[in-house]
Amino acid sequence: MMSPKITYEYERITDIKRLNFITNSLQQVIPANANILDVGCGNGVITRHLGQFGYNVLGIDVSDKTIAVARSKNTLANVRFEVMSAEELVASGAQYDAVICSEVLEHLHDPGVLLKTIYQSLKDNGTLIVTVPNGMGPREVFVTKPMLKVRRNPGLQAFVNKVKGALGYKGTTVQSQADNLDHVQFFTRADLRALASANNFDIIKISRTNFVEDVFPFSMLTKRVKSLQSLDCQVAELLPLGFTGGFNTIWKKK
């Protein structure tokens, strides 16, 4: 009997690369019927993708809006979504074979609080997969940080938004419908290792994402040409780790 075809909701190559990193990392150590928690799941893209491989996946988020979207897109019986805080998660007492925390920590003023919750929710031999932007990577340095400064000037922000709209940038993301997606943390490798250690984790693997395909003006072309996105991801693999746009990482309890 043929296995069902795996589908992808993401279109950007670097997003697919991150999704494949998560899936491949799990398949190496976690059986197909394992219980997985996707923290800060947003619209549930990763949650649903993992469900295609037979995992029992719970996606949680504090945003009612994102969970409503996640549920509306879900057709898998082994995948479910709940509006749930970190405190409620710990109170449930459930433990998971793996926890996914993808593109979440950079939005938190105190990421250690969430990591302490994850520690309690992860089995002792479990796997935690964390993905974050590289705080000194091309996009964060040349796009994210300047745009955060622009936000402090309403008039300038209105002008920039008008220009972005004219250039075809919608300002939305397939990942989440949350109202505030600002980055408030900018992690280097050293920052990430220190954060892990402070919360009783060891980072056992760090992988690259992309290079400059999502940095304006390169993004004007690469968002339309998938082959350039693929090339950019391949270039990232050849450069020093500090040049990558993001970190895909595997964590284990100490």
Side-chain angles (χ1 to χ4, degrees), residues 5-22:
K5 182 180 178 181
I6 301 300
T7 60
Y8 290 83
E9 295 180 50
Y10 285 132
E11 294 184 356
R12 286 180 62 224
I13 300 302
T14 190
D15 290 333
I16 293 173
K17 183 179 182 181
R18 181 173 70 250
L19 201 54
N20 287 340
F21 173 88
I22 293 170

Side-chain angles (χ1 to χ4, degrees), residues 186-203:
F186 296 92
F187 299 106
T188 63
R189 279 173 291 167
D191 294 332
L192 209 54
R193 289 193 184 279
L195 180 65
S197 182
N199 291 280
N200 296 308
F201 287 100
D202 285 321
I203 298 178

Side-chain angles (χ1 to χ4, degrees), residues 122-135:
L122 182 66
K123 292 180 179 179
D124 287 343
N125 62 343
T127 297
L128 168 60
I129 298 179
V130 174
T131 76
V132 293
N134 173 9

